[in-house]
């Protein structure tokens, strides 16, 4: 392997110390400039980190990763001790690939990422979490902060126990601000990834019921989300939604400064007009800003970003320019206009975001009919039945003419809707499509083709795992 002019993201001794690892195989020039956990994404000079899940062990893809150009591989010490010849045979063919044995590859990925972040002491580090609105808030904040700083963010929603560590490895010396969202699917996931970033500024969007199935209560969710503040050490700043009923609880978790945001918190920010599908108009110290994402809930996300930007010293004109520069985001309150107006909101769904989306569709006026395509809200545990039935009750009160429930969990919602329609006889047409296969999407597409007309508004809302964007492609003729 030829000597590189640039430095490796981490040197050998930095990596082994950070991950408490043992260099077991490989020699020559140590160098890597990217990190992956998916062998299919490996390119030349990647550090490959095979993860061990419930159903699969990523170590079996080490040969493919090395063939694709991996220069460093973190491996489980237990796997190495159990089948050392597997790795030795690979090393014989590729003697310049470094193998580092560690106790746990996921923990090692996080520790390595944390050590990498420490190489950028001047970086303004911002963490964003909450039950809903994380990605939107992050993107609004990034659009504003780019008016003054060179900003790095996680791509899409790479915000998990693996996604956040992979994301921070994209930080480079030219970056001045790093704004990273943090998600969770289990207890202490925020704690683990907060220890990677060690944010100086933290935003919480709200405390809802997303992931209540694994955490048990909103108080537990709030306590977990507040771990974004864990590394303030008296000098960090927390941005907390004033009108959230857990605002005081969250503030009590902060060892540092607290800034509340929301309607009425800043007299220099004035709401002007709800533009419906075209977003929200407001003024910052007299500077006009139009947030092109529809819904008052997205305006709330913008207020969090405005509060952060003001705290970091951006001018009102810079803040307004940033908001005005923001375009729609795929799958998040994305308005697609044509024969029908489609609101594609299928990147995530939980009871909080579902309620907000249905509130919004209720408030929108249109020349045609309102049609709802509602997919499963996943990971709700024992609350799933109750929350899906609750969504059905709200859906039936939106003045929609047709409601299509999609997915296995939405069967309960469909049954509840049919029960309500039998009582009220309001003339709402109710359909159900089981599962989330392509056949399911085609069934929904056929129902829409038979019922939707010029000027209709179609809301498509469901969890990412449902893949409801396929329905949108079908009705737009792109599939």
């Amino acid at each position: 392997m030829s000597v590189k002019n640039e430095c490796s993201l981490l040197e050998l001794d930095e990596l082994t110390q950070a991950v408490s690892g043992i260099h077991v195989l490989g020699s020559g020039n140590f160098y890597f400039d990217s990190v992956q956990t998916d062998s299919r994404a490996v390119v030349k000079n990647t550090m490959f980190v095979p993860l061990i899940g419930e159903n699969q062990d990523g170590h079996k893809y080490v040969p493919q990763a090395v063939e694709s150009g991996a220069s460093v591989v973190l491996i489980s010490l237990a796997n190495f001790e159990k089948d050392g010849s597997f790795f030795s045979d690979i090393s014989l063919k590729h003697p310049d690939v470094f193998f580092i044995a560690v106790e746990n590859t996921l923990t090692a990925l996080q520790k390595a990422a944390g050590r990498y972040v420490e190489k950028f002491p001047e970086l303004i580090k911002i963490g964003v979490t909450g039950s809903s609105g994380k990605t939107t808030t992050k993107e609004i904040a990034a659009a504003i902060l780019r008016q003054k700083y060179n900003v790095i963010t996680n791509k899409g929603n790479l915000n998990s126990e693996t996604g956040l560590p992979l994301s921070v490895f994209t930080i480079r010396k030219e970056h001045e601000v790093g704004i990273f969202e943090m998600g969770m699917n289990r207890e202490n996931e925020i704690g683990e990834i907060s220890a990677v970033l060690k944010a100086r500024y933290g935003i919480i969007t709200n405390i809802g019921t997303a992931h209540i199935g694994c955490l048990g209560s909103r108080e537990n969710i709030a306590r977990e989300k507040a771990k974004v503040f864990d590394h303030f050490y008296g000098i960090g700043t927390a941005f907390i939604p004033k009108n959230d009923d857990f605002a005081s609880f969250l503030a009590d978790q902060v060892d540092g400064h607290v800034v509340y945001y929301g309607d009425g918190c800043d007299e220099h920010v004035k709401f002007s007009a709800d533009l419906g599908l075209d977003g929200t108009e407001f003024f910052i110290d007299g500077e006009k800003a139009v947030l092109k994402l529809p819904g008052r809930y997205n305006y709330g996300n913008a207020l969090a970003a405005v509060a952060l930007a003001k705290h970091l010293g951006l001018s009102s004109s810079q803040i307004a320019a940033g908001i005005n520069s923001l375009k729609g985001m795929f799958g998040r309150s994305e308005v697609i206009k044509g024969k029908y107006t489609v609101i594609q909101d299928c990147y995530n769904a939980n009871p909080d975001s579902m309620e907000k989306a249905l509130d919004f569709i209720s408030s929108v006026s249109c020349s045609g009919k309102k049609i709802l395509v509602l997919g499963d809200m996943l990971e709700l545990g024992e609350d799933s039945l109750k929350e899906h039935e609750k969504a059905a009750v709200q859906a039936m009160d939106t003045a929609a003419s047709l409601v299509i429930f999609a997915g296995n969990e939405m069967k309960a919602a469909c049954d509840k809707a049919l029960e309500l329609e039998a009582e009220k006889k309001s003339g709402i047409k109710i359909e159900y499509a089981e599962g989330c296969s392509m056949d399911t999407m085609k069934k929904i597409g056929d129902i829409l083709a038979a019922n939707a007309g010029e000027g209709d508004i179609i809301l498509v809302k469901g969890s990412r795992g449902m893949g409801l964007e396929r329905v949108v492609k079908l009705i737009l003729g792109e599939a």
Side-chain angles (χ1 to χ4, degrees), residues 383-402:
D383 286 339
S384 183
L385 176 65
K386 177 186 71 177
E387 293 295 349
H388 282 85
E389 287 184 342
K390 183 179 172 183
V393 172
Q394 189 181 2
M396 295 296 284
D397 200 29
T398 58
S401 64
L402 167 64

Side-chain angles (χ1 to χ4, degrees), residues 308-325:
L308 170 70
K310 282 194 162 194
H311 192 81
L312 292 176
L314 274 78
S315 68
S316 299
S317 59
Q318 287 174 320
I319 295 171
I323 290 169
N324 292 332
S325 74

Side-chain angles (χ1 to χ4, degrees), residues 14-22 77 100-104 108 111:
E14 288 180 305
L15 178 62
T16 54
Q17 288 171 19
V19 303
S20 301
I22 305 168
L77 182 59
I100 312 296
V102 298
E103 191 70 28
N104 179 292
K111 295 288 188 183

Side-chain angles (χ1 to χ4, degrees), residues 124-296:
I124 298 170
K125 298 177 294 184
I126 303 159
V128 181
T129 192
S131 294
S132 59
K134 295 183 291 296
T135 304
T136 302
T137 302
K138 176 199 72 179
E139 292 297 334
I140 298 172
I144 296 172
L145 295 178
R146 286 191 180 105
Q147 304 303 307
K148 181 177 180 179
Y149 297 108
N150 190 321
V151 179
I152 182 76
T153 71
N154 17 17
K155 297 290 187 287
N157 67 335
L158 280 174
N159 61 15
S160 65
E161 60 187 2
T162 57
L164 187 282
L166 291 175
S167 293
V168 302
F169 273 114
T170 63
I171 298 169
R172 296 296 182 265
K173 62 183 179 180
E174 64 268 21
H175 295 131
E176 299 167 292
V177 171
I179 179 165
F180 297 93
E181 67 176 277
M182 299 179 180
M184 66 173 187
N185 290 299
R186 59 173 175 80
E187 186 177 358
N188 200 44
E189 188 167 0
I190 298 287
E192 289 178 10
I193 58 181
S194 179
V196 171
L197 184 63
K198 295 183 173 68
R200 172 75 180 275
Y201 303 93
I203 295 174
I204 291 184
T205 59
N206 54 15
I207 301 300
T209 54
H211 308 302
I212 199 166
C214 58
L215 289 174
S217 70
R218 287 183 68 219
E219 182 172 323
N220 288 341
I221 292 170
R223 186 173 289 106
E224 178 68 21
K225 296 294 186 183
K227 290 177 182 178
V228 68
F229 311 139
D230 273 1
H231 300 274
F232 280 5
Y233 307 122
I235 57 172
T237 302
F239 295 85
I240 293 172
K242 180 68 173 177
N243 297 324
D244 194 284
D245 56 344
F246 275 86
S248 295
F249 179 90
L250 293 170
D252 288 342
Q253 316 302 310
V254 179
D255 178 17
H257 309 288
V258 173
V259 173
Y260 292 106
Y261 70 86
D263 282 326
C265 287
D266 185 342
E267 62 181 8
H268 300 289
V269 179
K270 304 286 188 184
F271 173 83
S272 174
D274 185 342
L275 304 178
L277 293 175
D278 294 322
T280 303
E281 178 184 279
F282 61 107
F283 289 84
I284 306 137
D285 291 312
E287 297 282 347
K288 180 179 174 180
V290 176
L291 179 70
K292 299 178 184 71
L293 305 175
R296 283 295 293 265

Side-chain angles (χ1 to χ4, degrees), residues 398-413:
T398 58
S401 64
L402 167 64
V403 183
I404 305 171
F405 297 98
N408 300 329
E409 300 297 314
M410 274 294 175
K411 179 65 166 63

Side-chain angles (χ1 to χ4, degrees), residues 409-430:
E409 300 297 314
M410 274 294 175
K411 179 65 166 63
C414 182
D415 291 344
K416 183 66 175 179
L418 289 169
E419 177 187 318
L420 292 170
E421 178 57 22
E423 292 174 5
K424 297 181 180 180
K425 295 180 171 55
S426 52
I428 299 173
K429 189 171 183 179
I430 298 162

